[in-house]
Amino acid sequence: MRDHGLIEHKDDLQAFLDAIAGADWVALDTEFMREKTYYPRLCLIQLATLDQIACVDPLKVDIRQLEPLLFDADVTKVFHSASQDLEVLYREFARVPAPVFDTQIAAGLLGHGEQIGYANLVKALLDRELDKSQTRTDWARRPLSEQQVRYAADDVRFLATVYMRLVHELESLDRMHWLSPEMEALSNPTLYEPAPENAWQRVSGAKRLKPRERGVLKVVAAWRERAAQESDRPRRWILADDILIDIARRTPQDLDGLRQLRGFPDGMKAPRQEALLQAIREGQALPREAWPQLPEKARLTEAEEVLVDIGMALLRECARSNQITASAIAQRKDVIELLRGDGTTSRLSSGWRLEIAGRRIRRWFAGEDALSCSGDGLVIQS
């Protein structure tokens, strides 16, 4: 494998791009920092094929040079646990690279668990131990050491080989078509667009509030989210979650009321305090129908509990017979939704999940199949 090292000049980047021209796929990873910002700050892009590898410094090189590669519909972009990398790239390019292949999702379809980490997957497939010494490194600091660059490059050096192994296994088991909807979903830009109106759902303690208090929280959390975006600072630097919860309960009406809140930041300037008070008033004025509702847990009858338990047993049996984990197929809520005939939300109602498990469980729920047990597990009798 030719190692182009750390690329800090446009000519070197073009030489790398010329070297991989015509490749059907490229392995990618990113290093970024967001401890002190709202938006992730891209610090490094690693790329590799089976015979070429490079680390690109976006602080030194205009990464728009990578745009033709990232958005070439004939080149698959390979990531492990792609969502954060795609969020970073979406922030840089205002669109999501496509098509993509996520080795974490692919590994789940081959029995490696639903969310296996990269190091564990490399160990499982290649029997290689990855260096973990740079896990907490500050990727924004320059210059980068040789050890840091080598550590970063290893993320795609082995990812390229892992990808080829996974593709071979998926093709041999005729499971490549299982991946299509999963991978297409990753390129949906709405996944990476901040949604301030939904920010209340991520506030710790929101579920303990009364309905009207959640209305206040919804507006105040949206205000905090927008303030964090505008200043590009972590949302906790604007206001901590526990203060948002306190505001939702006590609804202070003036500056003195805000300052009496335990932990309220002394350094918040008057205009921002006034904007916060306005958000509190808007939250209090929300009509009942606008109060955010918590998702209701399905209350099952005793008979339904028994059916769902058997449905879960069938799910595990289908997973065993296909040599994958049950959690990679579906969760208990999917079985409940299938029992209640909600085909719009149950993951067992479409695609490969319907093919290997959903159809069998649904037939049993409908009384079309019977069960028996053998030494090999549950047997479904049509």
Side-chain angles (χ1 to χ4, degrees), residues 160-332:
T161 307
V162 163
Y163 168 68
M164 297 302 293
R165 291 278 184 93
L166 293 174
V167 167
H168 174 73
E169 290 186 42
L170 288 165
E171 289 178 341
S172 66
L173 294 171
D174 192 26
R175 293 183 182 177
M176 282 296 290
H177 68 283
W178 290 9
L179 280 174
S180 297
E182 313 273 349
M183 300 308 172
E184 289 173 6
L186 286 172
S187 294
N188 182 351
T190 60
L191 294 176
Y192 313 107
E193 278 286 358
E197 64 276 7
N198 296 327
W200 70 272
Q201 298 173 354
R202 297 189 298 271
V203 176
S204 177
K207 293 181 180 179
R208 297 194 299 270
L209 294 177
K210 297 175 182 177
R212 184 162 192 164
E213 293 170 345
R214 284 199 301 273
V216 176
L217 177 66
K218 178 180 179 180
V219 179
V220 173
W223 168 85
R224 180 184 70 168
E225 199 75 7
R226 294 187 183 96
Q229 292 169 4
E230 291 167 4
S231 60
D232 194 21
R233 291 291 181 264
R235 56 179 68 87
R236 69 181 184 279
W237 287 18
I238 307 298
L239 279 180
D241 278 8
D242 59 339
I243 299 177
L244 289 188
I245 296 297
D246 208 10
I247 287 173
R249 286 176 171 150
R250 298 173 59 179
T251 59
Q253 298 299 301
D254 52 34
L255 298 181
D256 286 339
L258 287 178
R259 293 165 186 152
Q260 289 173 15
L261 296 172
R262 182 177 180 180
F264 190 82
D266 294 332
M268 183 180 289
K269 294 183 179 179
R272 181 167 285 177
Q273 291 183 16
E274 291 291 349
L276 172 56
L277 289 170
Q278 179 59 31
I280 294 171
R281 289 190 285 270
E282 290 176 10
Q284 287 182 291
L286 283 182
R288 180 183 296 271
E289 59 270 19
W291 297 345
Q293 301 297 314
L294 297 176
E296 292 187 8
K297 291 186 178 179
R299 291 184 174 85
L300 302 177
T301 65
E302 187 174 342
E304 286 176 327
E305 287 281 6
V306 173
L307 290 173
V308 171
D309 286 343
I310 296 175
M312 288 298 296
L314 285 170
L315 176 64
R316 289 190 291 271
E317 174 58 22
C318 291
R320 186 194 67 81
S321 63
N322 286 278
Q323 297 184 322
I324 60 178
T325 60
S327 61
I329 304 175
Q331 304 294 329
R332 186 177 179 86

Side-chain angles (χ1 to χ4, degrees), residues 137-154:
T137 199
D138 182 354
W139 293 104
R141 295 187 66 179
R142 294 295 184 272
L144 294 172
S145 68
E146 289 185 11
Q147 185 180 13
Q148 287 174 313
V149 175
R150 185 169 58 252
Y151 170 90
D154 281 349

Side-chain angles (χ1 to χ4, degrees), residues 91-104:
R91 172 71 180 164
E92 296 292 329
F93 295 99
R95 52 183 176 145
V96 187
V100 299
F101 184 102
D102 190 328
T103 55
Q104 186 179 68

Side-chain angles (χ1 to χ4, degrees), residues 77-98:
K77 275 62 70 172
V78 181
F79 299 88
H80 184 85
S81 188
S83 59
Q84 290 193 71
D85 299 301
L86 292 176
E87 178 191 357
V88 173
L89 294 173
Y90 177 69
R91 172 71 180 164
E92 296 292 329
F93 295 99
R95 52 183 176 145
V96 187

